[in-house]
Amino acid sequence: QVQLQETGGGSVQAGGSLRLSCAVFGYSTASDCMGWFRQAPGKEREGVAVIDDDGSASYADSVKGRFTISKDHAKGTLYLQMNSLKPDDTAMYYCAADPRPWACPIETLRTRGKYWGQGTQVTVSS
């Protein structure tokens, strides 16, 4: 059974940093597209960052220059380093993974991603 488990969320003041982790259990993610998404109360889930099988990353405009996505195949773990956090970054953060080659555009992974975690809450206070 495939499971994705996010950790690392918490409460932080504006300007602070957090590092999210997403551990994958049940299969190898070496050839996968993986990404981070977030959903604030009353809003749709939105893409934050995605990384494909060769390590190429793309980001939402709202987080460019502040967030960095990376993955460690050996550990089967996806990361999101979040710096210069803002109150607008407050949301539940989810990781997703998909082994299908066509799944990697961030919007495709958001709407059709095969595997999802349960989320970890990030709260940024002003």
Side-chain angles (χ1 to χ4, degrees):
Q1 182 179 359
V2 177
Q3 289 187 331
L4 278 63
Q5 186 172 47
E6 302 98 335
T7 56
S11 297
V12 65
Q13 288 191 326
S17 298
L18 285 172
R19 187 193 196 204
L20 306 184
S21 298
C22 172
V24 180
F25 304 97
Y27 82 115
S28 171
T29 61
S31 62
D32 278 19
C33 176
M34 301 185 74
W36 288 99
F37 299 82
R38 65 187 182 187
Q39 188 167 17
K43 295 187 177 181
E44 284 193 356
R45 187 172 297 187
E46 64 175 357
V48 175
V50 65
I51 187 166
D52 65 17
D53 60 342
D54 68 3
S56 297
S58 60
Y59 299 89
D61 288 344
S62 59
V63 306
K64 280 181 182 176
R66 300 188 297 123
F67 291 11
T68 302
I69 189 171
S70 61
K71 59 182 177 178
D72 185 329
H73 289 310
K75 295 182 178 180
T77 304
L78 178 72
Y79 302 99
L80 185 69
Q81 178 66 44
M82 306 187 294
N83 299 328
S84 303
L85 282 161
K86 305 175 181 179
D88 284 349
D89 296 318
T90 295
M92 185 71 78
Y93 283 70
Y94 301 88
C95 64
D98 199 305
R100 297 168 291 186
W102 49 260
C104 219
I106 197 166
E107 186 60 16
T108 304
L109 189 61
R110 184 185 75 84
T111 58
R112 302 178 68 184
K114 187 170 184 179
Y115 302 118
W116 288 86
Q118 295 298 307
T120 185
Q121 177 68 37
V122 171
T123 302
V124 185
S125 58
S126 57

